[in-house]
C-alpha cells in the first residue's frame, strides 16, 4: 500500500485515544467528530476517503463509529493502522465502563445515575443534532432550493432513511443497498450492467470481578459474536437484539439492570455499543466484560480489514462512487432518524428541552466550548434539578 500520509501513525493513535476518552454523543456525534477533525481541520483524510469509509462501515455489520475508526486507520497505515486505531478508540470507554460496573456492584445500583442521565441525555441530543446537520450538508447538500433541486434524488434517499428508521427503529441494510444501486443506475450505470458478471470481492472479589461460570462465559462469547456479526448500524440498532437475549433468553440481567446498562453507555464516551462490557461484567465479572467486548467488536474489525483493500481500490470507479453516494445519503438520513428516536426518550419536559437547545446553540455560537464541557455542565444541572 502506498503511504502518502501527512501524519504519523502515533498521531492517529493519540487522536483515537482522545476520541475514545472524550467523544460523547453516540455514533452520530462520533462520525461527525471524525469528519470535522480528520477531514476538515487536520486534513489527514480526504472527503472522498471519509465517505468511502462511512459507506463501508454501514454495509458491514457491527458498531458504525468503531468501523469507521478502523477504516480511518486503514486508509494510510493498512492493517496495523486499523488495529491500533480500533484498539485506541475502544479501550478508554471499555475501561470507564468496567469502573462504573464495579461501582454498580458495590452500591447495588446507580442511585445518582438517573439525575445525571436526566441532564446528560438532553445535552447529548443537542450535540448529535448539530453533528447530524453538519453531516447532512457535507454528504447530501446544503438545504437551499438550488442545491436541493440538483441533488433531489439524494434528498429522497435521505428523507426516506429518516422516516424508515423512525418507523422501524433500526437501520435497514437492504434499503441502503437499494439506494446505492438506484443512484448508480441513474448517475453512472456501469458497462457490465448489460452482461453477466460475478462480484469480487486489583478489585474486590465482593464486586464479582473474577467470578464467573465457564458455561456462562461461552454463552456470552457466542451471543455477542452473533450480535457483532448480524446487527448492522449504530448502537441503537443493537439494543433490541441485546434485550431479547440478555433479559428474556438468558436472564443475565433484569429489566432495570438492562436500562442502567444502556444509561451507562449513553453517558460514557466512545461507541455506545460498549454497553456490552457492562452487560458482560454483570453476567460474569471482568472476564465476561472482556469476552463480550471482544466478541462484539471482532466481526466488525474482520469485515472492515477484509473489505477495505478492494473497496478502496474500486471506489474511484464512477459507478461505484455513485453507489457510495446513494448509500451515504440514505445512511445520513438513518442517523438523523436515530437522533429523533433518542430525542423522544431523552426530551421529556421543558428543562430537558432547554438543555438540549442550549447545548446545540452553544456548539454553534460559542467556539471555545467543547463537548465534554457541555456534558459536565448538563450533568451538574441534571443533579441540581433532581435534588432541588
Amino acid at each position: 500500500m502506498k503511504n502518502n500520509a501527512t501524519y504519523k501513525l502515533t498521531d492517529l493513535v493519540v487522536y483515537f485515544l482522545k476520541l475514545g476518552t472524550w467523544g460523547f454523543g453516540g455514533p452520530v456525534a462520533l462520525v461527525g467528530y471524525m469528519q470535522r477533525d480528520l477531514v476538515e481541520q487536520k486534513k489527514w483524510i480526504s472527503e472522498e476517503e471519509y465517505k468511502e469509509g462511512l459507506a463501508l462501515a454501514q454495509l458491514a455489520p457491527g458498531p458504525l463509529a468503531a468501523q469507521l475508526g478502523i477504516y480511518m486507520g486503514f486508509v494510510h497505515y493498512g492493517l496495523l493502522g486499523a488495529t491500533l486505531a480500533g484498539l485506541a478508540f475502544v479501550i478508554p470507554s471499555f475501561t470507564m465502563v468496567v469502573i462504573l460496573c464495579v461501582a454498580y456492584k458495590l452500591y447495588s445500583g446507580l442511585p445518582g445515575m438517573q439525575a445525571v442521565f436526566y441532564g446528560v441525555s438532553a445535552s447529548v441530543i443537542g450535540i448529535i443534532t448539530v453533528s447530524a446537520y453538519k453531516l447532512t450538508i457535507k454528504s447530501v447538500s446544503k438545504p437551499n432550493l438550488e442545491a436541493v433541486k440538483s441533488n433531489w434524488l439524494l434528498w429522497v434517499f435521505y428523507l426516506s432513511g429518516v422516516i424508515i428508521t423512525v418507523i422501524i427503529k433500526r437501520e435497514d441494510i437492504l434499503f441502503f443497498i437499494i439506494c446505492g444501486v438506484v443512484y448508480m443506475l441513474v448517475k453512472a450505470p456501469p458497462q457490465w450492467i448489460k452482461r453477466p458478471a460475478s462480484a469480487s470481492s486489583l478489585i474486590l472479589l465482593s464486586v464479582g470481578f473474577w467470578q464467573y461460570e465457564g458455561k456462562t462465559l461461552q454463552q456470552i462469547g457466542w451471543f455477542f459474536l452473533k450480535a457483532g456479526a448480524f446487527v448492522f448500524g449504530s448502537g441503537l440498532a443493537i439494543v433490541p437484539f441485546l434485550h431479547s437475549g440478555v433479559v428474556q433468553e438468558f436472564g443475565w440481567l433484569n429489566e432495570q439492570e438492562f436500562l442502567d446498562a444502556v444509561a451507562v453507555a449513553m453517558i460514557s464516551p466512545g461507541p455506545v455499543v460498549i454497553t456490552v462490557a457492562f452487560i458482560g461484567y454483570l453476567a460474569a465479572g471482568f472476564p465476561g466484560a472482556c469476552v463480550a467486548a471482544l466478541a462484539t467488536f471482532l466481526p466488525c474489525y474482520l469485515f472492515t480489514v477484509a473489505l477495505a483493500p478492494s473497496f478502496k481500490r474500486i471506489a474511484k470507479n464512477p459507478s461505484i462512487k455513485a453507489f457510495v453516494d446513494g448509500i451515504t445519503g440514505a445512511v445520513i438520513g438513518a442517523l438523523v432518524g436515530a437522533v429523533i428516536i433518542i430525542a423522544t426518550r431523552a426530551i421529556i419536559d421543558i428543562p430537558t428541552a432547554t438543555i438540549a437547545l442550549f447545548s446545540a446553540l452553544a456548539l454553534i455560537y460559542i467556539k471555545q466550548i467543547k463537548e465534554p464541557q457541555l456534558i459536565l455542565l448538563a450533568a451538574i444541572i441534571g443533579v441540581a434539578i433532581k435534588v432541588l
Side-chain angles (χ1 to χ4, degrees), residues 336-351:
V336 173
V339 175
I340 295 173
I341 294 171
I342 298 170
T344 60
R345 299 168 182 171
I347 308 301
I348 56 176
D349 51 25
I350 293 177

Side-chain angles (χ1 to χ4, degrees), residues 24 34 39 108 144 152 162 196 200 241 292 294 344 350 361 371 379-381:
F24 292 90
M34 289 183 221
V39 179
S108 300
N144 58 61
W152 66 270
V162 175
S200 313
F241 182 89
L294 178 62
T344 60
I350 293 177
L361 294 177
E371 291 84 2
I380 294 171
I381 293 173

Side-chain angles (χ1 to χ4, degrees), residues 24-35 50 54 64-65 68 124-136 171 233-236 270-272 331-340 342:
F24 292 90
V28 181
L30 290 169
V31 298
Y33 299 155
M34 289 183 221
Q35 196 275 338
Y50 174 85
L54 184 60
L64 179 70
L68 183 57
V124 165
I125 295 303
I127 293 172
I128 62 180
T129 298
V130 174
S131 296
Y133 174 75
K134 290 181 178 179
L135 283 171
T136 298
E171 291 88 347
S234 67
L236 179 69
V272 171
V331 166
I332 302 303
L335 293 178
V336 173
V339 175
I340 295 173
I342 298 170

Side-chain angles (χ1 to χ4, degrees), residues 203-217:
I203 306 294
L204 297 176
L205 288 176
S206 60
V207 298
F209 197 77
W210 292 110
Q211 294 176 357
Y212 68 93
E213 296 180 5
K215 183 179 178 181
T216 300
L217 213 55

Side-chain angles (χ1 to χ4, degrees), residues 2-13:
K2 183 179 179 181
N3 190 337
N4 57 350
T6 58
Y7 59 94
K8 296 178 180 178
L9 178 56
T10 52
D11 295 331
L12 190 69
V13 172

